[in-house]
Amino acid sequence: RAAAGTGPDFRGALVVSLGFALGCAGMLLLDKLIPHQHLDEDKPEGSPSHLSRPMLLVMAVALHNIPEGMALGVVIAAAMGDSGMTWTAAIMFGLGLALQNFPEGIAVVLPLKQSGSSKRKCMWWGFWASLAEPTAAIVGLLLTSFLNTLGGVVMPILLSIAAGAMIFIVVEELIPESQTGDHGHAATYGFLIGFWLMALLGVLGG
């Protein structure tokens, strides 16, 4: 952040822009490479595969969980270092991710149950879908801890990459899916409430 009276922080703007662009490009690449299928679509996306529809649904949720986990790992690494991130802020961020994982888990299990899968199989698929987030968090934590030794600019870039990846997923996948069917208004209200809740957690963790 530029000091008062010193003018715009162009170096900071470049770092944020570079990280944001890398995050979006990375998720675009994963979206093209990882085979997955969304609930309201008949045609799979990503690389051709012979995976079953339930597995493709699980892969779609796992794809969504990657940027969330990476962001959590970067935030934890920031709290462990001297970047100014407090543990309270990191805990609030983790709490926000945990809250949104409840409806996300239901989004995996419910369609599987409706398709005739047993409770045990639904729990099994849901478990595998959830593993992407802690795995990505560990990778983000280790990568950040290693790269942070190279200089102070690494942390802002990694945080920007995580932000770009999450925004890409929201705009590319989650918002369009939420507006399909007859429940578009309810999805909009849910989005607004969730946005407010995350903002509130950010203020409480500041």
Side-chain angles (χ1 to χ4, degrees), residues 91-116:
I91 291 172
M92 288 296 178
F93 181 81
L95 179 61
L97 288 184
L99 288 174
Q100 67 89 36
N101 279 337
F102 281 101
E104 192 170 59
I106 295 174
V108 177
V109 174
L110 189 58
L112 295 177
K113 184 62 177 175
Q114 291 174 338
S115 66

Side-chain angles (χ1 to χ4, degrees), residues 8-193:
D9 183 5
F10 292 108
R11 181 173 178 270
L14 178 61
V15 168
V16 171
S17 300
L18 175 62
F20 192 87
L22 287 175
C24 292
M27 288 311 301
L28 177 60
L29 180 62
L30 290 178
D31 187 65
K32 298 296 184 182
L33 292 179
I34 296 179
H36 62 284
Q37 185 172 355
H38 300 286
L39 181 61
D40 296 319
E41 296 180 357
D42 298 325
K43 191 176 181 180
E45 298 182 31
S47 301
S49 72
H50 298 288
L51 297 175
S52 64
R53 177 175 169 79
M55 188 60 189
L56 289 171
L57 292 173
V58 169
M59 293 293 288
V61 175
L63 181 62
H64 295 171
N65 284 339
I66 291 175
E68 297 169 9
M70 289 290 290
L72 181 60
V74 172
V75 167
I76 292 175
M80 294 172 61
D82 56 355
S83 62
M85 175 75 69
T86 65
W87 276 108
T88 301
I91 291 172
M92 288 296 178
F93 181 81
L95 179 61
L97 288 184
L99 288 174
Q100 67 89 36
N101 279 337
F102 281 101
E104 192 170 59
I106 295 174
V108 177
V109 174
L110 189 58
L112 295 177
K113 184 62 177 175
Q114 291 174 338
S115 66
S117 299
S118 65
K119 291 183 179 180
R120 184 174 182 177
K121 184 174 289 188
C122 290
M123 293 176 62
W124 180 250
W125 287 122
F127 169 75
W128 279 107
S130 68
L131 283 183
E133 189 161 319
T135 301
I138 293 174
V139 172
L141 175 60
L142 295 177
L143 182 64
T144 304
S145 300
F146 171 73
L147 293 179
N148 207 33
T149 61
L150 303 179
V153 74
V154 173
M155 186 64 71
I157 289 180
L158 291 176
L159 287 170
S160 301
I161 289 175
M166 295 179 74
I167 293 297
F168 177 89
I169 286 294
V170 169
V171 175
E172 172 75 9
E173 308 286 0
L174 301 183
I175 290 180
E177 283 190 37
S178 71
Q179 296 301 312
T180 58
D182 301 324
H183 305 289
H185 289 299
T188 300
Y189 302 147
F191 176 85
L192 295 175
I193 293 173

